[in-house]
Amino acid sequence: RYVEHAADRYALEHTVPRRIPVSVPVTLFEKIGAMALLDPQPNPIVKAIFFPHPPLDERIAFCKRWRR
C-alpha cells in the first residue's frame, strides 16, 4: 500500500495542474469506486489481509490534503 500511495502522490503532482481544483481527482476516485462497487471504508481486518492498494476513503482524503 505504501508504494501505491507513493504512485498516487506522483500521479497527482505530475498530471493535475495547479489551476484544476482538488475536487476533480476526488470526483474521479468516487466515480471509479462507484463503478467498481468498492467499499469506501472497508473493515480494517479485510483491508490488512486483502487490499494491495489504499482503500478509497484514504485515497480521497489524501487528494483533499495533498496541495496544502
Side-chain angles (χ1 to χ4, degrees), residues 9-67:
R9 178 189 313 270
Y10 182 87
L12 288 171
E13 291 172 354
H14 291 87
T15 61
V16 180
R18 291 275 179 199
R19 68 184 178 275
I20 294 177
V22 174
S23 62
V24 172
V26 168
T27 302
L28 175 67
F29 274 124
E30 290 171 343
K31 287 182 179 183
I32 290 171
M35 288 171 42
L37 304 175
L38 297 176
D39 181 358
Q41 295 178 324
N43 180 301
I45 295 171
V46 171
K47 178 179 118 176
I49 296 172
F50 297 110
F51 277 49
H53 292 72
L56 195 57
D57 61 338
E58 289 179 16
R59 293 177 111 170
I60 290 171
F62 174 70
C63 285
K64 290 179 179 178
R65 66 178 189 272
W66 78 277
R67 244 189 225 163

